[in-house]
Amino acid sequence: MRRLRSRETTDLLLALLAFVLLPAGLFLLADHADPDLWWHLRTGRLIWETRGVPRADTFSFSAAGAPWVDHEWGFEALAYALYRLFGPFGLFLLKAAALGALLWLVHRLISSRAKALSVRVCVFSATSFVVLSLGSSCRPQLFTYLGCAALSLWPAAWLLVPWSWLHGGFLAGACLLLIFSFGRRPASPGLGGTLVAIAATAVNPYGLGLWRRVIDTLFFVPLRESVTEWQSVWSTAVPGYRVCFLLYAAALAAGWLWHGRRRAAERASWLAAAAGLAAGLVAVRHLPLLAILAAAPLAGALEALRAAPGLRPKARAADGAFFLGLNAALLCVVFLVASWALYWLPIRGGIPLGAIPAQTAEDAALGPRPGVVLYPKGAVRFIKENGLSARLMNPIETGGYLLWHLYPQCKVFIDTRMDQVYGEEQFRAYVDFAQGGPGAQSVLAKYEPDLVLHDALDLALPLKLTGLGWGIVYRDPDYLLMARRSGPFARLVKDYAQYPVIAPRSALPWLFP
């Protein structure tokens, strides 16, 4: 009896650690603001103010009036409404609800194939780690991960319609339904029902233009050249992504050879996992999708391995060792995460819960910076305090932040909507300018910006601009702001030349708001 109670206590502790505490810790520690978040919110505000979706760009001075098909308009309207009601906590609630629902669906999916707690813990921990590490930003693709998990559990074709209002990843859901139809999955809507649901996604403000926009994005070359998450796992500079992909590929191959090829009833799940493997190979951003689609077949294969007649006695003994080792490992991980999140960051470093800085000191001079995107909070404050209305040449990753805080007072040259609004030619002009290349002067002549915001540690462009009659008006450890010496902000250039001061870094420049 005592041994039974001890095992029940161990099971409960393991379930609590694996299914609640570890995912919650990862969720809280992945809370920096993604560069896309800002323009999503600004677009959501525009949708509510105009009572309609945007059809032409109004945010930039470089592509003003360019056609804009916004395939994430539903997410933007929802995110801004929650922000309007609850402030930044509303965005936290949105992300928590979406990820909580996603992990619940993943757990249901795994539990439908495996009864042993050891198997469920193993597969769920791997899936939640990949999803929360790579896909937990407050972004529209959360709903694509959620939709794929929902379809894997309940293949309801009607989900495609609201999904198409939230994110262009509804095409992944359409492919998943086609795979289920081909694999003859029970309860699948069939080929006819799937095609009707796909056609119904044309019921949106942009009609068939939405499909064309999403397909064009998939083949937009600059995304794969410049954005890590759009690169293949083989071409990315981050080896951890390749390791993750190879581990899943090896696990799926072994599971298929042991179990999958013998179970015709599970053919659809294995086909979906193979599609997830192909998607993960094509782009890093699809690795969470791979983890979600691989969860069910891997759980089934591990359960079959554990229940194999020749392995049953060994499985019981292995379970005991597995529980003991995994409990110890998870306890150590949770202790370290809790110590870092609840003591080291807020008490020793003065950092609010949820921040992940690479350093905690707010340097007042040039020096190492956190390993996430820093936003120009100081430069924005300077622009507001001086009442500057300007055409602002800016780094691409700061465009959304500038739009959120300065539009319509200032318009930007570019932001991360490069596949939706700006196009390849303008993106390459931006890259040449930002690097201080030979075309920088022609870009200035063509677009005539009033201010240039640039990385304070990259001096190639500032030196070039200095020779072209520009001067610094503001500088902090991360960014500098320049204007023409003979332009409307000549007084600010002269003032800075007389009193050149490096302003202190703004507090927590990687967090919202």
Side-chain angles (χ1 to χ4, degrees):
M1 180 66 70
R2 185 176 298 174
R3 182 175 298 179
L4 181 60
R5 288 180 179 175
S6 176
R7 180 59 182 270
E8 290 175 349
T9 302
T10 303
D11 289 359
L12 180 62
L13 178 61
L14 180 62
L16 180 65
L17 290 173
F19 300 140
V20 179
L21 296 181
L22 197 58
L26 288 170
F27 172 79
L28 289 173
L29 292 172
D31 200 27
H32 60 271
D34 184 86
D36 291 350
L37 173 63
W38 315 98
W39 68 259
H40 284 313
L41 285 176
R42 191 62 189 80
T43 306
R45 177 179 172 179
L46 182 68
I47 290 171
W48 283 105
E49 288 174 346
T50 62
R51 299 295 188 268
V53 298
R55 298 185 181 275
D57 178 55
T58 60
F59 292 156
S60 74
F61 67 88
S62 57
W68 180 14
V69 175
D70 181 13
H71 60 81
E72 296 153 334
W73 61 272
F75 168 83
E76 291 156 356
L78 175 62
Y80 181 73
L82 289 172
Y83 176 80
R84 182 78 176 179
L85 290 172
F86 304 107
F89 185 68
L91 302 178
F92 182 88
L93 286 177
L94 175 61
K95 186 172 76 166
L99 286 171
L102 170 59
L103 293 179
W104 178 76
L105 289 172
V106 167
H107 182 261
R108 287 287 304 273
L109 197 59
I110 294 170
S111 299
S112 68
R113 304 299 177 88
K115 303 303 178 186
L117 182 60
S118 56
V119 173
R120 288 186 285 130
V121 164
C122 182
V123 179
F124 182 85
S125 297
T127 306
S128 61
F129 180 81
V130 174
V131 170
L132 292 171
S133 298
L134 302 179
S136 62
S137 297
C138 189
R139 299 173 66 187
Q141 49 261 52
L142 279 179
F143 289 94
T144 286
Y145 303 147
L146 183 61
C148 286
L151 287 183
S152 297
L153 198 59
W154 308 297
W158 62 267
L159 286 174
L160 289 184
V161 178
W163 188 348
S164 68
W165 303 338
L166 296 164
H167 187 237
F170 74 92
L171 289 183
C175 292
L176 198 56
L177 287 174
L178 290 173
I179 288 171
F180 289 159
S181 299
F182 177 75
R184 298 180 180 178
R185 170 175 172 160
S188 170
L191 182 61
T194 299
L195 293 178
V196 169
I198 293 173
T201 60
V203 181
N204 67 80
Y206 301 103
L208 297 178
L210 182 70
W211 296 358
R212 289 195 297 270
R213 175 69 272 149
V214 174
I215 293 171
D216 288 346
T217 295
L218 293 175
F219 295 97
F220 190 66
V221 175
L223 281 177
R224 303 195 181 281
E225 292 179 350
S226 60
V227 183
T228 299
E229 68 173 24
W230 279 98
Q231 295 171 352
S232 165
V233 293
W234 298 122
S235 60
T236 179
V238 183
Y241 297 144
R242 284 188 287 277
V243 172
C244 176
F245 175 82
L246 290 173
L247 287 175
Y248 266 99
L252 286 170
W256 166 254
L257 292 174
W258 165 255
H259 176 68
R261 61 179 179 171
R262 305 174 191 174
R263 299 292 300 271
E266 296 181 9
R267 179 172 58 179
S269 294
W270 284 99
L271 287 174
L277 203 60
L281 178 63
V282 169
V284 167
R285 66 187 275 129
H286 297 149
L287 288 177
L289 197 60
L290 164 61
I292 292 166
L293 296 179
L298 286 180
L302 287 174
E303 182 76 3
L305 177 64
R306 182 182 175 279
L311 295 178
R312 281 176 186 167
K314 296 179 181 179
R316 294 191 187 97
D319 265 358
F322 175 84
F323 273 93
L324 182 62
L326 197 56
N327 267 322
L330 285 175
L331 277 171
C332 289
V333 170
V334 171
F335 176 76
L336 292 173
V337 168
S339 299
W340 189 41
L342 300 177
Y343 170 71
W344 186 262
L345 289 181
I347 297 175
R348 291 292 299 275
I351 308 298
L353 182 63
I356 313 183
Q359 66 178 39
T360 57
E362 294 174 17
D363 302 323
L366 300 178
R369 298 179 295 174
V372 292
V373 176
L374 299 183
Y375 298 107
K377 293 187 176 183
V380 165
R381 184 168 56 250
F382 175 84
I383 290 172
K384 288 182 175 179
E385 288 175 353
N386 287 276
L388 308 183
S389 296
R391 297 152 61 94
L392 186 55
M393 180 71 75
N394 60 286
I396 190 170
E397 67 274 10
T398 68
Y401 181 86
L402 297 170
L403 288 175
W404 173 245
H405 286 281
L406 297 176
Y407 178 83
Q409 176 183 345
C410 294
K411 294 190 176 184
V412 300
F413 178 78
I414 199 168
D415 55 72
T416 51
R417 298 174 299 148
M418 54 185 176
D419 57 310
Q420 298 183 30
V421 171
Y422 298 104
E424 184 171 353
E425 181 180 352
Q426 185 170 336
F427 173 74
R428 300 204 182 282
Y430 156 75
V431 171
D432 188 44
F433 178 84
Q435 294 175 349
Q441 190 169 356
S442 63
V443 171
L444 289 176
K446 180 178 180 180
Y447 294 102
E448 299 181 340
D450 302 309
L451 295 171
V452 173
L453 180 72
H454 193 66
D455 186 339
L457 298 184
D458 180 7
L459 298 180
L461 178 63
L463 289 173
K464 192 179 189 73
L465 292 179
T466 300
L468 296 175
W470 289 66
I472 297 174
V473 298
Y474 170 85
R475 187 173 187 175
D476 62 29
D478 305 308
Y479 291 97
L480 55 81
L481 196 61
M482 303 186 72
R484 288 186 177 88
R485 294 191 186 97
S486 59
F489 308 128
R491 178 186 59 81
L492 295 175
V493 176
K494 185 176 180 180
D495 290 346
Y496 188 86
Q498 291 179 344
Y499 305 102
V501 176
I502 297 178
R505 172 177 290 156
S506 299
L508 307 176
W510 51 89
L511 295 182
F512 190 90

